[in-house]
Amino acid sequence: MSAVTIQQMADRVAQLLEERLSLGGKGLAAKLKRAGRTLPRKVRDAGRLLASAAQKAQNPKLLGQIDMGEVTEAYDICLKHLIAIDPVDRKRGYFAGIVGSVGFGVLALVIAIAALLAWRGYF
């Protein structure tokens, strides 16, 4: 394999990070850094390996140091995880969590006010 295919793999993973997780940044390494703990350790490590291989592939002398088996395996790990993410469901879950938190806060406030009124003898 050549440097072009390694770069294509890195670009594809970066594109999926942007589409599925709405991560900005220039290049795969920057997007992985922004992802942080959003990704499992195995996927983060695979992404870092892919990003470093893409960086090494820019230099023809370093191209021979790249283990294509590891790069392909890392690409498969990243692809398998990122394709399984549904961005719409992820946003829906985020907003459902916010609504649940606000709803619980309002419920706790109503119970506290009712308890205060009952304690003061208004109920």
Side-chain angles (χ1 to χ4, degrees):
M1 283 198 186
S2 66
V4 176
T5 53
I6 295 173
Q7 190 61 46
Q8 288 172 342
M9 288 179 186
D11 290 344
R12 175 70 176 136
V13 171
Q15 177 190 11
L16 283 172
L17 282 170
E18 189 171 333
E19 289 173 3
R20 303 293 174 140
L21 299 177
S22 303
L23 293 173
K26 195 163 190 145
L28 179 58
K31 289 179 184 186
L32 286 170
K33 189 172 183 178
R34 290 197 64 167
R37 292 189 174 182
T38 305
L39 298 172
R41 177 180 300 241
K42 188 175 182 181
V43 177
R44 277 192 318 248
D45 292 343
R48 285 189 199 116
L49 186 132
L50 190 58
S52 71
Q55 187 69 29
K56 280 183 183 179
Q58 300 299 319
N59 187 339
K61 288 185 179 181
L62 296 178
L63 190 59
Q65 295 178 0
I66 299 172
D67 181 9
M68 284 310 296
E70 282 184 1
V71 171
T72 306
E73 185 178 331
Y75 176 69
D76 289 341
I77 289 170
C78 292
L79 220 58
K80 194 177 294 183
H81 178 77
L82 291 172
I83 286 177
I85 295 174
D86 182 15
V88 174
D89 188 43
R90 201 169 162 267
K91 288 178 185 175
R92 190 177 298 135
Y94 175 75
F95 288 121
I98 290 174
V99 168
S101 294
V102 171
F104 180 75
V106 169
L107 179 66
L109 181 65
V110 167
I111 290 173
I113 290 173
L116 179 69
L117 290 174
W119 178 56
R120 300 285 270 165
Y122 292 110
F123 264 155

